[in-house]
Amino acid sequence: VRIDPEKKEDRERVAQTLLRVTLRLAFAHGFVSLGLREVSRAAEIAPTSFYRHFADMEELGRRLIETLAGPFIEGFVARARTKLPGGNFALAVASEAIAGAVEDPELMRFILAERAGAISTFRLAVATKLAVVSAAVRDSLAEKVADSSELAILADAVVVLVLEACSDVLDQGAAHAPAVTERVSSQIRLLLAGGVASKGRK
Amino acid sequence: VRIDPEKKEDRERVAQTLLRVTLRLAFAHGFVSLGLREVSRAAEIAPTSFYRHFADMEELGRRLIETLAGPFIEGFVARARTKLPGGNFALAVASEAIAGAVEDPELMRFILAERAGAISTFRLAVATKLAVVSAAVRDSLAEKVADSSELAILADAVVVLVLEACSDVLDQGAAHAPAVTERVSSQIRLLLAGGVASKGRK
DNA sequence: TGTACATCAGTGAACGCGCGTTCACTGATGTAC
DNA sequence: TGTACATCAGTGAACGCGCGTTCACTGATGTAC
């Protein structure tokens, strides 16, 4: 017995609705405060139908990270790559990440909140997704910074500053995106200037 | 009718217990997931007694930030100050903050989680407390960095990096505190090297 | 082509449970005079 | 000193409510032959 592709699409659509609706509700009150019934109600399905898609809210949360947060993060890394060559990749990542935060604030808030939240499995899963960004920044700096241990801490610092900028944009509104981008760009430039200078010293 | 100082102490002790117990439970499951009955049970008082101290969980949360998080943050700024003069204040803040995270992981997790969490009033309140750190770092750099706008973004970047280091220590355990301190110190040094270098350029 | 059977998303009823909150009461302590 | 009264933290009983979960069922669709 094979699966009808049309039915599969329907099923997938409901699951996506549950994920999206959860992000919307989590934006206001936080993911951990949400219940299966609250989410089902907002998605306009019966509470019992929830189980056709997820075993519980924890699994839904894991799927949020895997199917939405992961691609979202990889997306702005990919877009930053298309800006090369000829630019500073770290600055491109910052600007693309901020654009992502403006485009999908609910998803960005979820990533920021769970990255620092109390649920350790979520923290770890988000950190794993963000490691992609850190690695990409590291590669982009490999030519400019000789010391490989310095390379890693520079890249990680860049990622942390970029995430902080995204958080600022969420709090201050999309109108402040240019100012926040300018600010984080300055921070990254200063940081990298230090890294390059330290190479020069050697 | 005046208040007996001894009774006042008793009352204060119960309130402190509620705050402490909330931090302990929030460390595991997150503050927003906690209920008044759960907290009261852990504090070994009747659920109805909760109302003698706080109107609801939200007020308890606000008091956590005001009476525990605030002094905690001011504490490591103050300790960093005593290390001066003769040292780099930003590095002292980093090392004292990490020491604070090791000493009181539950409070540090609460600060980190609510700083990035979904409850906007908590985010704002925590940000206000952390602004003290940023301002202190800014003052300490005033002599080394000429440009005052650069000064502010440098100080803010330092604070963000320090908080990230605290988060790393919570996740990796106190044993890694020296390594994490070393790492964040390097990041701060590179950042400040860039700041000082940019001053030299002008 | 028709018939019997399998799969599976969605559902309503029902369950036991823990929640936040109100209420009236207790008992220890302090104040007035 | 004694007596009457005020304050106030703590409590147990009780409430209505929403929760997560189980269950048996429906109906649409796909497969076997």
Side-chain angles (χ1 to χ4, degrees):
Chain A
V1 179
R2 270 184 287 140
I3 310 143
D4 178 20
E6 195 182 325
K7 281 223 112 179
K8 200 170 181 179
E9 266 180 36
D10 279 10
R11 178 182 158 78
E12 195 51 37
R13 224 188 50 243
V14 176
Q16 285 297 317
T17 303
L18 281 168
L19 293 174
R20 266 293 146 193
V21 140
T22 299
L23 283 185
R24 202 183 74 214
L25 296 173
F27 190 80
H29 312 108
F31 177 82
V32 275
S33 79
L34 300 180
L36 168 165
R37 285 183 106 106
E38 185 179 1
V39 167
S40 303
R41 204 181 305 123
E44 297 180 306
I45 62 169
T48 47
S49 301
F50 180 94
Y51 294 104
R52 299 292 173 193
H53 303 277
F54 308 102
D56 49 32
M57 282 301 293
E58 201 209 315
E59 188 191 319
L60 187 149
R62 269 183 271 128
R63 291 271 284 272
L64 270 178
I65 298 173
E66 289 306 317
T67 72
L68 292 185
F72 177 73
I73 291 167
E74 283 156 21
F76 58 69
V77 170
R79 282 196 300 280
R81 271 195 229 277
T82 67
K83 287 191 174 178
L84 291 179
N88 183 325
F89 180 71
L91 297 184
V93 165
S95 124
E96 293 299 331
I98 288 168
V102 169
E103 204 178 297
D104 198 342
E106 295 170 354
L107 181 51
M108 185 54 94
R109 171 75 73 219
F110 175 78
I111 291 169
L112 293 171
E114 297 313 318
R115 183 177 114 87
I119 302 170
S120 60
T121 56
F122 285 11
R123 280 203 310 276
L124 184 63
V126 170
T128 303
K129 300 299 170 192
L130 290 170
V132 170
V133 187
S134 179
V137 172
R138 208 179 309 139
D139 289 348
S140 80
L141 295 177
E143 292 174 12
K144 294 179 186 171
V145 183
D147 189 332
S148 70
S149 71
E150 202 160 78
L151 198 57
I153 66 166
L154 274 173
D156 288 351
V158 167
V159 172
V160 170
L161 292 172
V162 167
L163 290 172
E164 179 67 10
C166 291
S167 173
D168 288 347
V169 166
L170 290 188
D171 273 337
Q172 298 171 27
H176 291 77
V180 172
T181 305
E182 184 52 47
R183 183 192 147 90
V184 68
S185 296
S186 297
Q187 290 173 327
I188 291 172
R189 275 193 217 102
L190 291 172
L191 187 69
L192 298 187
V196 173
S198 90
K199 181 187 176 185
R201 278 201 308 273
K202 277 159 201 166
Chain B
V1 179
R2 271 185 287 141
I3 308 142
D4 177 19
E6 193 181 327
K7 283 222 112 183
K8 199 171 183 179
E9 266 180 36
D10 278 10
R11 177 182 159 78
E12 195 52 36
R13 224 189 48 244
V14 176
Q16 285 298 318
T17 303
L18 281 168
L19 293 175
R20 266 293 146 193
V21 140
T22 299
L23 283 185
R24 201 184 72 212
L25 297 174
F27 189 80
H29 312 107
F31 177 81
V32 275
S33 79
L34 299 180
L36 170 164
R37 285 184 105 106
E38 184 179 0
V39 168
S40 302
R41 204 181 305 124
E44 296 180 308
I45 62 169
T48 47
S49 301
F50 180 94
Y51 295 104
R52 300 290 173 196
H53 303 277
F54 307 101
D56 48 31
M57 282 302 292
E58 202 208 313
E59 189 190 318
L60 186 149
R62 269 182 270 128
R63 291 270 285 273
L64 268 178
I65 297 172
E66 289 308 316
T67 71
L68 291 186
F72 177 72
I73 290 167
E74 283 155 22
F76 58 68
V77 170
R79 282 196 300 279
R81 272 195 228 279
T82 66
K83 287 191 172 177
L84 291 177
N88 183 325
F89 180 71
L91 297 184
V93 165
S95 121
E96 292 300 331
I98 287 168
V102 168
E103 204 177 298
D104 198 342
E106 295 169 354
L107 181 51
M108 185 54 92
R109 169 76 72 217
F110 176 79
I111 291 170
L112 294 171
E114 297 313 318
R115 181 177 115 88
I119 302 169
S120 60
T121 55
F122 285 12
R123 279 203 310 275
L124 185 63
V126 170
T128 303
K129 299 300 170 192
L130 289 170
V132 171
V133 187
S134 178
V137 172
R138 207 179 310 141
D139 290 349
S140 81
L141 295 177
E143 292 174 10
K144 293 179 187 171
V145 182
D147 188 333
S148 71
S149 71
E150 202 160 80
L151 197 56
I153 67 166
L154 274 173
D156 288 352
V158 166
V159 172
V160 170
L161 292 172
V162 167
L163 290 172
E164 179 67 10
C166 291
S167 173
D168 289 345
V169 167
L170 290 190
D171 273 336
Q172 298 170 27
H176 291 78
V180 172
T181 306
E182 185 51 45
R183 183 192 147 88
V184 69
S185 297
S186 297
Q187 290 174 327
I188 292 172
R189 276 192 216 103
L190 291 172
L191 186 71
L192 299 186
V196 172
S198 89
K199 181 186 177 186
R201 277 199 308 272
K202 276 156 200 165

